[in-house]
Amino acid sequence: MNDRVVDWHLPDVELRRPHRADARRNYDALLVAAREAFAEHGTGASLEEIARGAGVGIGTLYRNFPTRQDLFDAVYVTEVEDLCRAASEVEGRSPDAAFEAWLKRFAGYVATKRAIAEALNRDSDMFRACRNAMYAAGEPLLQRAQKNGSVRQDVDIDTVLRVISGVAAVEYLSPDQRERAFSIALDGMRTL
């Protein structure tokens, strides 16, 4: 059995990323500014503020993202791509450490998704492709940890991601409390 992370690419999702270096920098800056604005202000964040935060004009924002929905989708897809890439980045660690590190990154993804959840079309091809890519990235990490004996055999990737989503979506009094809840959730998945 090959323990390498499977191919997680998003074949059904086509973002209109510019090819010129300067245009690509603007595009990426808009995504970063949008992610931050949506996290702070929700889906109603001002597009003008997002453009200003990226250091570009509103015309550049609209040239890259003709509609607000295009911007939501691009932020979401970029988050999923980052999450999937993280699976490849942790694969050199021990199976249990790789699985835990990826789940921590997944918990961070949940925060961004929560900020724009109301704007996502859960029935769209884009949303399904992103979900499939996340599962394809996380499944081999779970299987390695199960094969290693550090994670219970009776859990699947869907259950794991739902548990971590629930833990990540809750408001906490402190980062320590969040970390403790995350650790308890992980302990429930580990073998005794």
Side-chain angles (χ1 to χ4, degrees), residues 4-191:
R4 297 200 41 91
V5 175
V6 298
D7 183 13
W8 55 263
H9 69 283
L10 296 165
D12 300 329
V13 177
E14 195 62 41
L15 294 180
R16 290 173 264 149
R17 289 188 167 106
H19 296 291
R20 283 188 3 243
D22 61 331
R24 180 62 187 247
R25 276 190 303 275
N26 290 341
Y27 181 92
D28 292 341
L30 283 164
L31 288 176
V32 169
R35 183 181 308 138
E36 292 170 0
F38 294 148
E40 186 174 341
H41 303 291
T43 57
S46 162
L47 296 180
E48 290 79 9
E49 287 296 319
I50 291 171
R52 231 182 330 275
V56 300
I58 192 69
T60 299
L61 184 144
Y62 282 117
R63 200 170 22 263
N64 284 286
F65 308 103
T67 69
R68 185 178 282 270
Q69 189 64 50
D70 291 332
L71 184 56
F72 292 142
D73 290 351
V75 167
Y76 181 67
V77 168
T78 302
E79 280 292 300
V80 171
E81 287 174 339
D82 290 348
L83 176 63
C84 291
R85 244 186 312 291
S88 298
E89 293 166 4
V90 301
E91 74 178 344
R93 298 180 187 184
S94 69
D96 53 330
F99 185 58
E100 182 174 339
W102 188 76
L103 287 180
K104 283 184 179 179
R105 178 59 184 88
F106 177 80
Y109 147 83
V110 170
T112 297
K113 181 183 173 194
R114 193 173 89 183
I116 62 171
E118 67 191 53
L120 297 174
N121 176 357
R122 296 174 192 277
D123 294 326
S124 71
D125 290 340
M126 179 273 303
F127 191 84
R128 280 191 292 279
C130 286
R131 181 182 173 154
N132 291 340
M134 279 188 296
Y135 280 50
E139 181 75 29
L141 296 171
L142 170 62
Q143 289 175 349
R144 283 181 61 219
Q146 287 173 322
K147 182 179 174 185
N148 172 275
S150 56
V151 173
R152 298 165 43 159
Q153 294 295 318
D154 64 343
V155 299
D156 59 33
I157 194 66
D158 183 62
T159 303
V160 167
L161 297 185
R162 288 177 189 275
V163 167
I164 299 302
S165 290
V167 169
V170 174
E171 295 286 332
Y172 292 95
L173 299 175
S174 70
D176 289 341
Q177 186 184 36
R178 178 184 305 278
E179 185 61 34
R180 176 94 172 110
F182 184 80
S183 292
I184 290 169
L186 283 180
D187 287 347
M189 296 177 213
R190 290 193 170 103
T191 55

